[in-house]
Every structure is written in structure tokens, then in C-alpha cells.
């Protein structure tokens, strides 16, 4: 019963050449996601493009996922994997926090995620940036698909991570103010959007502080879709004068009417 | 051909521990042919070798976790601790409904701690949502040893 779909998929892949079509590629979020720890909390940022091979599948997808009221997680990699993984961990963390009767900690979410990803040895393609504020202060982790994690003051993941990291390395300072941190994250994501094909559209931000979460979606519409010029509106109504009007009704006769009852027994 | 033989020797270490030897004909359905609708695609290779690198590790995951936990417990608290727990597991595993009905396994879940966690086994392939059901009379007779 385990891995039955895999047998079917390998069979399909083997026969696909004969059928002359191709298997649908997995929807990925070739992405730029990043996070930064500032004075009072963390700022997480993400772009909003989801790609399916070389085609943009979703121009405005949401990559910052809810884990708990004080913890949010950005996801890069296979879209389904990041979505389901974060939902699973969010449910488990909720049950855990009900059981312990405390606000969940970022380290708990990190450990749950890394243990699950290591168990599946990288076959779950989810690269995550996990950030939140708990009783011990603000924390930011980056989690790789094979299960390794890093706890750092600023992290970037995804195909646009190098562009975003360049911005961080240039302008990051410890203990920034909120506006400065938001501007830095916005600029890092913008660098990913404009320099990486896999990232695009808008910039979403999530500012998490002790007791408050600002989910800014969209924070900045970096790529606005152009407005179509209405060619038909050049000619106003009444440009052409109406000279005569003639109405001819079509004669339709009802030839035959039959009723077929459905067999609903 | 020789390359295939070498390949299979190298993969021999991955052979599944329990090779089903249920007769030589592949799981025949009512017409003597493989029942693809109910049992999926058949492949001799898939019955001997794992079809995915994770298959063996996932199959034995629960067992390995239990072994790890019991060994740690034995090292910390002494032999009695895992023995007592295993006795409790055995007792809880015996609480089942009639063989053709799905059991909730509540006691076993509570002992394991899985009543407070959600995993893939709770969402996918839930036995309570299974489309097949065994024939009730035959299954109870088999269980009671009358068959």
C-alpha cells in the first residue's frame, strides 16, 4: 500500500513518450524569501510569483504562511510541499500549545520542521524561513529541504536568494528600527524580483513583534500589470448616423415535442 | 544481461526483509488476471526491490523510533522501564473491535503520544475512509478459529 502511486507514476513516465504528451511539471515557487531580526521583532518578506516550469502559474500567491499567532514561515521550493508542511506543523504546534498551555516557541516549530524534513531525506522540497517572537525574544531560522537549520540575524532563501543576500550584506545593521528594517527587506525582495526570473510581482511583508503581527499584503506592487488602452472607445456613440432601421423576425415553427423521463430508480 | 545481474547483486542489500511468497502466480483476481483496479499496477521488480529509496526506511520508521526510545529509556532508567511500557503497549493493542470494523486504537494512541500529533497517516489513507471492507462473517469465523 505504501508507495503505490510511485509505481503508477513510473509506469506513466515510461509510457509518456509513446503517448506523445508530457507530464505536468510540479508547481514551484522559484522565489525570493528573506527575513531580518530588528530591535523589537522580525520582518519576513516574500515575492508573489509561482512558476510551473517556464510559465507563471500564479501572479499573486501568498508565500508567508501562518504557523501560530506569533510565528510565521516563508516557503520556497515546491509549492504544495511548503503549503502542506507548514499546515501540518501549524496544527501540531497548536495541539502542543494547548497541551502545554503556553505560547509556542520558534525553536519548537524549528525542531518539528527539521525532524520531519530529515525523515523524508530531502524528498519534500521545502526551503523555509521561519521567524517569530516568543518569550525569549525574536528568533529567525532558515530550514533547508534536507533538514539542516541555521539560526541567524538575517537569512534569504529561494532562487533569488543571492540577489537578496547581496542587499542584506551591504546594509544590515543589528538593532535597526522598524521602518529601516521594512525598507531593507523590501529592497532585498525587490533585488530578487528584478534580477531573478523565478521571482516577480508584488512584495509581501510580515512584521512580527511581541503581541502584534502586521501582515502587509501587498506591501509594494513592484510589477503592476499594464492597463490596456481601450481602442474601441476612440469612436463615441453617434459617430455614424443611423439612416434607416428594418426589423425582420425569424419564423420558427415547433415541429415536434417529446419528453424523455430520466431513470432515477 | 550481465549488467542487470551485477546491478541486482549490488542492490541485494536493499531487498526487503519480507518477500511475500504467496504462490507463484501474481495476486490473481476472480478471473485469474491481475486485478489492476483494486490492487494497482503489478511489477515483479516492485515486489522484490524497493521502488523508492525511502520505502524501507518509512516502512520501518515506527519500529526504529520505538527501538531508539526504548534503548534510551533503558540506558537512563534501567530495564524495567521499557519492559513495563512494552507490556502496556501489548495490552492496548489487544483492544480492538470486530475484525472487519476500523478500530480507533485510542489507548494505543494515548500511550504513544500520537493523540496529540497529526501526521500524514491521519490525513492520507485513513483506514476509516477505506473503500474496501472484508466479508464480515468469514473474517469473524477466521478470528474465532472456526474456519
Amino acid at each position: 500500500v505504501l508507495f503505490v502511486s510511485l509505481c503508477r507514476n513510473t509506469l506513466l513516465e515510461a509510457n509518456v513518450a509513446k503517448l506523445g504528451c508530457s507530464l505536468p511539471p510540479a508547481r514551484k515557487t522559484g522565489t525570493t524569501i528573506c527575513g531580518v531580526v530588528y530591535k523589537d521583532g522580525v520582518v519576513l518578506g516574500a515575492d508573489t510569483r509561482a512558476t510551473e516550469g517556464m510559465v507563471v502559474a500564479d501572479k499573486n500567491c501568498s508565500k508567508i504562511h501562518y504557523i501560530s499567532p506569533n510565528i510565521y514561515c516563508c516557503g520556497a521550493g515546491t509549492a504544495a510541499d511548503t503549503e502542506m508542511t507548514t499546515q501540518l506543523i501549524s496544527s501540531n504546534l497548536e495541539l502542543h500549545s494547548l497541551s502545554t498551555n503556553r505560547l509556542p516557541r520558534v525553536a519548537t516549530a524549528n525542531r518539528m520542521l527539521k525532524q520531519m524534513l530529515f525523515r523524508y531525506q530531502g524528498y519534500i522540497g521545502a526551503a523555509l524561513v521561519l521567524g517569530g517572537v516568543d518569550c525569549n525574544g525574536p528568533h529567525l531560522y532558515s530550514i533547508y529541504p534536507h533538514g539542516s537549520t541555521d539560526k541567524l540575524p538575517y537569512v534569504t532563501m529561494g532562487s533569488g536568494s543571492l540577489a537578496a543576500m547581496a542587499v542584506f550584506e551591504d546594509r544590515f545593521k543589528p538593532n535597526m528600527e522598524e521602518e529601516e528594517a521594512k525598507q531593507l527587506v523590501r529592497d532585498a525582495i525587490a533585488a530578487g524580483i528584478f534580477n531573478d526570473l523565478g521571482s516577480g510581482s508584488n512584495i509581501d511583508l510580515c512584521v512580527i513583534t511581541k503581541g502584534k503581527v502586521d501582515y502587509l499584503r501587498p506591501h509594494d506592487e513592484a510589477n503592476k500589470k499594464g492597463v490596456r488602452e481601450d481602442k474601441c472607445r476612440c469612436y463615441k456613440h453617434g459617430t455614424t448616423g443611423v439612416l434607416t432601421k428594418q426589423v425582420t423576425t425569424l419564423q420558427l415553427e415547433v415541429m415536434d415535442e417529446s419528453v424523455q423521463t430520466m431513470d432515477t430508480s | 544481461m550481465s549488467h542487470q545481474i551485477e546491478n541486482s547483486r549490488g542492490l541485494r542489500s536493499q531487498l526487503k526483509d519480507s518477500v511475500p511468497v504467496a504462490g507463484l502466480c501474481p495476486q490473481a483476481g476472480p478471473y485469474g488476471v491481475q486485478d489492476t483496479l483494486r490492487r494497482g499496477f503489478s511489477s515483479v521488480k516492485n515486489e522484490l526491490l524497493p521502488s523508492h529509496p525511502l520505502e524501507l526506511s518509512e516502512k520501518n520508521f515506527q519500529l526504529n523510533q520505538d527501538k531508539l526510545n526504548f534503548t534510551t529509556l533503558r540506558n537512563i532508567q534501567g530495564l524495567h522501564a521499557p519492559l513495563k511500557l512494552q507490556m502496556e503497549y501489548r495490552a492496548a493493542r489487544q483492544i480492538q473491535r470486530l475484525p472487519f470494523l476500523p478500530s480507533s486504537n485510542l489507548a494505543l494512541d494515548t500511550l504513544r503520544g500520537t493523540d496529540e500529533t497529526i501526521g500524514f497517516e491521519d490525513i492520507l489513507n485513513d483506514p476509516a475512509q477505506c473503500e474496501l471492507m472484508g466479508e464480515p462473517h468469514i473474517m469473524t469465523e477466521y478470528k474465532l478459529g472456526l474456519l
Side-chain angles (χ1 to χ4, degrees):
Chain A
V1 144
L2 274 179
F3 295 94
V4 156
S5 304
L6 188 71
C7 303
R8 178 204 66 185
N9 287 352
T10 41
L11 254 168
L12 281 175
E13 267 166 42
N15 292 335
V16 112
K18 283 185 232 156
L19 297 169
C21 58
S22 64
L23 292 171
R27 182 184 292 200
K28 309 189 79 176
T29 55
T31 300
T32 313
I33 49 174
C34 64
V36 116
V37 174
Y38 73 103
K39 197 173 71 169
D40 307 318
V42 299
V43 178
L44 298 173
D47 71 306
T48 57
R49 175 181 289 182
T51 54
E52 238 168 29
M54 286 286 119
V55 175
V56 173
D58 191 345
K59 290 190 279 279
N60 198 1
C61 78
S62 159
K63 297 186 193 178
I64 306 186
H65 308 285
Y66 166 90
I67 301 256
S68 83
N70 59 330
I71 303 174
Y72 278 72
C73 182
C74 311
T78 313
D81 286 343
T82 58
E83 187 73 40
M84 287 292 123
T85 307
T86 47
Q87 281 179 353
L88 204 62
I89 290 329
S90 168
S91 309
N92 277 327
L93 208 58
E94 172 75 17
L95 287 172
H96 188 257
S97 99
L98 285 169
S99 170
T100 56
N101 206 17
R102 290 174 171 82
L103 202 61
R105 301 193 190 186
V106 190
T108 320
N110 178 49
R111 189 138 298 235
M112 286 182 177
L113 281 164
K114 84 181 338 189
Q115 281 177 350
M116 192 186 109
L117 291 175
F118 183 71
R119 173 178 168 180
Y120 292 102
Q121 292 289 302
Y123 282 95
I124 294 188
L128 309 164
V129 165
L130 177 74
V133 178
D134 57 24
C135 55
N136 289 340
H139 302 276
L140 187 65
Y141 292 88
S142 71
I143 304 165
Y144 292 83
H146 282 267
S148 63
T149 61
D150 289 311
K151 183 175 192 314
L152 294 165
Y154 55 96
V155 291
T156 63
M157 297 286 259
S159 56
S161 63
L162 292 171
M165 187 52 92
V167 175
F168 276 166
E169 288 287 356
D170 187 28
R171 288 162 42 186
F172 175 80
K173 293 189 305 290
N175 288 331
M176 287 183 286
E177 295 298 326
E178 179 172 333
E179 281 312 311
E180 208 185 330
K182 279 163 71 171
Q183 186 62 30
L184 180 62
V185 171
R186 187 241 156 244
D187 288 341
I189 301 288
I193 287 177
F194 290 118
N195 296 303
D196 174 43
L197 289 177
S199 321
S201 301
N202 313 328
I203 300 171
D204 289 347
L205 280 195
C206 187
V207 183
I208 311 174
T209 48
K210 196 177 183 62
K212 189 167 83 96
V213 170
D214 268 332
Y215 194 104
L216 304 160
R217 180 176 152 79
H219 170 67
D220 195 338
E221 290 193 14
N223 292 5
K224 265 209 178 69
K225 193 171 174 188
V227 177
R228 177 181 296 178
E229 288 210 17
D230 212 357
K231 289 202 204 85
C232 300
R233 275 205 298 145
C234 305
Y235 300 110
K236 290 198 297 273
H237 281 289
T239 311
T240 329
V242 177
L243 296 175
T244 52
K245 198 164 150 179
Q246 186 185 21
V247 176
T248 322
T249 49
L250 281 176
Q251 299 292 336
L252 291 171
E253 288 176 16
V254 178
M255 298 294 295
D256 183 30
E257 206 174 293
S258 68
V259 176
Q260 267 187 334
T261 49
M262 253 197 331
D263 187 7
T264 53
S265 53
Chain B
M1 195 58 182
S2 61
H3 180 256
Q4 277 178 343
I5 298 175
E6 280 166 15
N7 213 16
S8 63
R9 267 203 219 111
L11 292 166
R12 195 161 177 252
S13 54
Q14 287 184 32
L15 260 188
K16 302 182 192 175
D17 282 358
S18 60
V19 178
V21 188
L24 291 171
C25 93
Q27 313 155 336
Y31 299 107
V33 174
Q34 225 284 331
D35 197 355
T36 316
L37 187 66
R38 291 213 191 87
R39 294 208 193 87
F41 295 109
S42 71
S43 162
V44 178
K45 177 166 159 266
N46 283 337
E47 279 168 37
L48 292 174
L49 292 172
S51 47
H52 192 272
L54 279 183
E55 187 170 352
L56 286 177
S57 96
E58 274 300 300
K59 216 173 178 180
N60 301 324
F61 185 75
Q62 195 53 47
L63 291 169
N64 288 337
Q65 281 293 99
D66 286 346
K67 260 192 233 172
L68 188 70
N69 291 337
F70 285 141
T71 317
T72 323
L73 203 56
R74 179 190 176 158
N75 291 336
I76 298 173
Q77 295 188 8
L79 187 58
H80 75 286
L83 281 183
K84 264 205 192 133
L85 278 177
Q86 276 176 329
M87 183 192 75
E88 283 177 21
Y89 280 170
R90 254 180 224 216
R93 213 172 290 141
Q94 288 175 357
I95 308 169
Q96 297 278 317
R97 298 187 66 185
L98 289 172
F100 51 91
L101 293 170
S103 319
S104 69
N105 290 324
L106 191 59
L108 197 59
D109 272 350
T110 315
L111 277 177
R112 282 229 166 88
T114 51
D115 62 337
E116 284 179 350
T117 50
I118 297 178
F120 288 121
E121 61 275 1
D122 296 310
I123 308 168
L124 305 167
N125 210 17
D126 188 8
Q129 314 280 349
C130 183
E131 299 106 6
L132 298 175
M133 192 178 90
E135 168 63 44
H137 298 289
I138 308 224
M139 290 181 79
T140 2
E141 280 175 20
Y142 180 75
K143 183 162 182 247
L144 294 172
L146 299 170
L147 202 63

